[in-house]
Amino acid sequence: MFGLGIIGLAIYAYTIYDVVISNFANDSDKIIWILIVILVPFLGTILWFLIGRGKRI
């Protein structure tokens, strides 16, 4: 179980890193995605990889 927790934490940290380094049309989109990922970690991570990565410039 500990290994799964470490993997989950690594994916979560990578998601935050990916959002921060991504280029968006405006800064408000970046802030919104960061808030989504931080406030709703599991769902935010899934949404980022399914929807968000395709929306960045």
Side-chain angles (χ1 to χ4, degrees):
M1 290 303 253
F2 182 71
L4 290 176
I6 296 295
I7 292 170
L9 184 63
I11 292 171
Y12 180 62
Y14 175 74
T15 303
I16 293 172
Y17 172 76
D18 197 30
V19 172
V20 169
I21 66 166
S22 295
N23 295 323
F24 291 90
N26 55 25
D27 287 334
S28 64
D29 290 344
K30 182 180 284 195
I31 293 170
I32 290 170
W33 273 110
I34 290 172
L35 287 175
I36 289 171
V37 170
I38 290 174
L39 295 176
V40 190
F42 182 71
L43 184 60
T45 299
I46 292 172
L47 288 174
W48 171 250
F49 285 109
L50 292 178
I51 300 171
R53 291 188 88 191
K55 300 284 184 183
R56 63 185 181 168
I57 295 174

